[in-house]
Amino acid sequence: MTEALTSLIESEAWKALEAHAATARTLHLRDLFAQDPTRGERLRVEAAGIYFDYSKNRITDETILLLLKLAEQSGLRSRIEAMFNGDKINVTEKRAVLHVALRAPKEEAILVDGTDVVPLVHAVLDKMAGFSNRVRSGEWKGYTGKPIRNVINIGIGGSDLGPVMAYEALRHYSQRDLNFRFVSNVDGTDFAEATRDLDAEETLFIISSKTFTTLETMTNAHSARVWALETLKHSAAIARHFVAVSTNAEEVEKFGIDTANMFEFWDWVGGRYSMDSAIGLSTMLAIGPENFHAMLAGFHEMDVHFRTAPFEHNLPVLLGLLAIYNNNFLGAQTVAVLPYEQYLKRFPAYLQQLTMESNGKHVTLDGVKVDYQTGPIYWGEPGTNGQHSFYQLIHQGTRLIPCDFIAFGQALNPIGRHHDILLANVFAQAEALAFGKTTQEVEADGTPSWLAPHRTFEGNRPSNTILLEKLTPAALGKLVALYEHSVFTQGVIWKIDSFDQWGVELGKVLAQRIIPELESKPDSKPGHDSSTNALIKHYRSFRKDAAK
Ligand code: G6Q
């Protein structure tokens, strides 16, 4: 790396953007659109079947030029190559970051420590396809000879959010006589509610865990085994009702799952980047191997675009740079992701992990504390529901909340006028946010002057609109890859490691200390601060009550 790692805010491109933003901040989207009637057609990119309109951001052509300079200065080009070439860019864990290899076509070669990983990826995909076909056709039987009707994925974080999001997103394409559930929380209610109406003889558990040691997943997996054996009685039944997705064959075997029923992945696949790996087994079971491959092809198309398109036409680069501008130069603290597509109801939750676990970092790659903001808070809900709740704050609150609107040209469930009404709403929201309604316009409608301020919309709220033809498996792949690479782009500019997650460790360690204080040593003096000690004691008193 040629750049000094700590000099981001001192760099020429950053300073130029700061100077630019000081004046650009006063611009209003109303004026920018009035001055240039072609703006809406100019500030958009179409690639890989995605229409990306970024004209409703508080930017000028100059802003884009300066952001592109920032990208060049950050060495983004060489960092992209480093990722695609399998360099160990996850420096704190000394790992390659190769989710792009999970969707590489068979002919490609990608080397990790001298080994071409593409054949390994395809061997696992073939094994997943063979298994999926057997379960989907009813050929795979449970221990008592019944076909599988229910599939429960047990996993958490990256081993849950991708599968559950993809299942919901692609439900339209799923085999409807198979019932899919996802258990992640260590709260027993999650497991109890997922299994209460199911017949163990017809239920298959997928234990999805890269490490196979995660507390929540292993707790749920053990409860699943107990639950299954209550009905199935014989431990030999486990092999017909449990499969594993993991990198850890030893632990899988210890649990009692036949390693022939283990689907492998590798340490160069990060949890939150793993939905294309064997972690996607539930997705493949739901939509079938062909649709799964179509999804991978969608991911790959976006990978190629990201790697090869010039930055000014590069969707993930532009999405990432605009997020940087809003975050670092306009002071926005959050991004709202608003899919106008019911099937994408879990997409904001999925993106929360992808974006916030990746870019919620406080030090640079070389461990120096950053002196600028890094990852913003991502949140959202499917439209139009949010319009009747939190959009009030986006339109008239005091905070700047950039929005990503996502919509599709065709409905998967066309019913009457629903889709036109849905799309009219998404376009209307972006328009209202950008242009608002002035006090004069409000008064001209006959609103009395005392009420006019309440009904005034300042406008000038930035948004992107991401439009695709139809929610297909390929479209989902493109959309997820768009955000993955946008996250990477931002991480490169902030000079952080987007692929580790040390921030989740401390709580895990402390929980392990507290568990025996609640269970095996309930009368001991807890060894924490006064607040935690008092909470533990109070909880113990509830436990005693519960035991009475
Ligand atoms: C994701 C994280 C994290 C991980 C879970 C589950 O990038 O690493 O969310 O996916 O902690 O881990 P296991 O798959 O090892 O159970």
Side-chain angles (χ1 to χ4, degrees):
M1 187 163 301
T2 48
E3 291 290 325
L5 283 177
T6 52
S7 60
L8 180 58
I9 64 167
E10 296 301 325
S11 70
E12 216 176 289
W14 192 273
K15 282 188 163 167
L17 271 161
E18 259 179 353
H20 168 77
T23 50
R25 235 178 258 136
T26 60
L27 300 172
H28 198 292
L29 283 166
R30 269 199 290 265
D31 303 322
L32 292 170
F33 272 86
Q35 284 154 17
D36 174 8
T38 65
R39 181 179 170 97
E41 278 140 42
R42 284 195 314 106
L43 301 187
R44 66 168 183 193
V45 177
E46 267 186 274
I50 296 184
Y51 181 105
F52 176 59
D53 175 1
Y54 60 97
S55 63
K56 294 192 185 87
N57 281 283
R58 288 162 66 170
I59 55 168
T60 63
D61 292 349
E62 171 79 2
T63 324
I64 293 293
L65 283 177
L66 293 172
L67 285 168
L68 292 170
K69 274 196 189 151
L70 179 67
E72 294 292 354
Q73 172 205 275
S74 308
L76 180 59
R77 268 176 212 291
S78 60
R79 302 283 292 154
I80 293 172
E81 280 314 297
M83 175 171 74
F84 277 84
N85 287 331
D87 292 2
K88 301 212 162 127
I89 61 167
N90 176 355
V91 290
T92 69
E93 295 180 308
K94 299 193 174 67
R95 284 180 183 162
V97 174
L98 272 180
H99 40 284
V100 293
L102 299 170
R103 52 257 192 165
K106 270 191 176 130
E107 320 70 73
E108 255 177 51
I110 299 176
L111 301 184
V112 178
D113 295 328
T115 304
D116 182 4
V117 297
V118 178
L120 309 180
V121 166
H122 282 272
V124 174
L125 283 170
D126 290 347
K127 185 174 172 185
M128 289 163 65
F131 177 72
S132 298
N133 287 335
R134 289 175 73 194
V135 173
R136 287 164 62 84
S137 67
E139 184 195 329
W140 178 282
K141 300 276 191 292
Y143 187 63
T144 57
K146 291 189 181 174
I148 297 301
R149 297 272 67 97
N150 315 304
V151 177
I152 302 188
N153 186 77
I154 295 183
I156 196 165
S159 301
D160 167 70
L161 286 160
V164 75
M165 181 279 289
Y167 169 67
E168 292 294 347
L170 300 176
R171 200 173 185 159
H172 183 75
Y173 304 90
S174 69
Q175 184 165 316
R176 297 295 181 144
D177 63 355
L178 281 177
N179 184 14
F180 287 84
R181 306 235 168 122
F182 297 84
V183 174
S184 51
N185 199 336
V186 76
D187 182 337
T189 295
D190 204 11
F191 181 80
E193 287 293 340
T195 49
R196 58 180 301 141
D197 57 344
L198 301 187
D199 178 356
E201 291 177 85
E202 301 179 332
T203 302
L204 175 78
F205 289 96
I206 305 174
I207 313 300
S208 295
S209 176
K210 183 173 170 180
T211 54
F212 231 72
T213 55
T214 305
L215 177 66
E216 292 91 334
T217 300
M218 295 331 291
T219 307
N220 279 316
H222 282 100
S223 300
R225 190 165 54 186
V226 170
W227 179 84
L229 289 179
E230 263 167 29
T231 307
L232 300 167
K233 312 289 181 211
H234 305 283
S235 58
I238 297 300
R240 307 302 301 166
H241 293 268
F242 283 75
V243 298
V245 177
S246 189
T247 58
N248 190 343
E250 208 182 313
E251 286 299 322
V252 168
E253 219 170 344
K254 263 196 226 159
F255 181 86
I257 295 178
D258 186 347
T259 44
N261 298 332
M262 168 177 157
F263 299 85
E264 190 197 358
F265 65 119
W266 307 273
D267 76 348
W268 41 263
V269 182
R272 56 194 174 275
Y273 296 87
S274 68
M275 62 174 275
D276 295 333
S277 72
I279 288 290
L281 183 60
S282 57
T283 315
M284 196 191 271
L285 281 162
I287 64 173
E290 209 176 304
N291 279 321
F292 195 84
H293 277 281
M295 180 183 82
L296 297 184
F299 271 96
H300 182 66
E301 195 177 337
M302 185 55 71
D303 294 343
V304 172
H305 168 77
F306 179 53
R307 193 177 187 180
T308 57
F311 286 171
E312 63 271 31
H313 301 127
N314 194 310
L315 297 177
V317 171
L318 288 170
L319 184 64
L321 291 175
L322 290 163
I324 295 257
Y325 188 67
N326 289 330
N327 178 45
N328 294 101
F329 300 97
L330 296 186
Q333 293 174 337
T334 81
V335 179
V337 183
L338 308 162
Y340 278 63
E341 168 55 70
Q342 184 63 19
Y343 284 124
L344 289 185
K345 65 180 184 192
R346 296 292 287 162
F347 193 63
Y350 173 79
L351 272 193
Q352 284 191 320
Q353 184 190 23
L354 181 68
T355 58
M356 288 157 65
E357 199 165 23
S358 297
N359 284 343
K361 306 291 161 66
H362 69 140
V363 293
T364 60
L365 287 162
D366 59 354
V368 175
K369 192 159 175 21
V370 296
D371 45 8
Y372 42 86
Q373 294 290 339
T374 61
I377 300 149
Y378 278 74
W379 59 287
E381 279 289 321
T384 56
N385 300 8
Q387 290 173 208
H388 297 263
S389 71
F390 55 79
Y391 277 40
Q392 165 65 37
L393 186 147
I394 306 181
H395 282 288
Q396 286 190 317
T398 53
R399 294 170 193 280
L400 185 70
I401 302 183
C403 299
D404 286 355
F405 292 105
I406 300 169
F408 295 85
Q410 291 173 25
L412 291 173
N413 296 295
I415 304 175
R417 299 169 63 214
H418 283 243
H419 202 65
D420 287 341
I421 295 171
L422 178 71
L423 271 282
N425 270 281
V426 67
F427 298 149
Q429 289 301 323
E431 187 179 13
L433 286 170
F435 301 102
K437 192 165 182 180
T438 63
T439 308
Q440 291 87 323
E441 285 167 339
V442 170
E443 286 182 347
D445 282 349
T447 301
S449 55
W450 67 266
L451 187 57
H454 299 276
R455 301 190 67 170
T456 296
F457 291 68
E458 281 171 2
N460 216 17
R461 266 75 168 158
S463 69
N464 295 310
T465 302
I466 298 169
L467 193 59
L468 296 93
E469 189 179 359
K470 188 174 164 184
L471 178 53
T472 59
L476 181 71
K478 292 172 191 181
L479 197 57
V480 174
L482 167 64
Y483 277 96
E484 284 177 348
H485 298 319
S486 153
V487 163
F488 177 73
T489 298
Q490 294 168 65
V492 167
I493 288 173
W494 290 320
K495 300 175 191 294
I496 56 179
D497 189 335
S498 298
F499 302 102
D500 61 11
Q501 56 283 315
W502 299 105
V504 304
E505 294 302 322
L506 180 58
K508 285 190 201 172
V509 173
L510 294 178
Q512 289 292 2
R513 261 180 63 197
I514 295 174
I515 292 168
E517 293 175 329
L518 305 182
E519 287 179 337
S520 50
K521 297 183 276 178
D523 298 322
S524 64
K525 190 174 176 302
H528 306 266
D529 61 277
S530 58
S531 160
T532 310
N533 286 347
L535 287 165
I536 289 172
K537 282 187 196 150
H538 207 72
Y539 172 72
R540 284 171 174 172
S541 71
F542 285 141
R543 278 190 103 223
K544 272 187 202 142
D545 286 346
K548 271 180 204 161

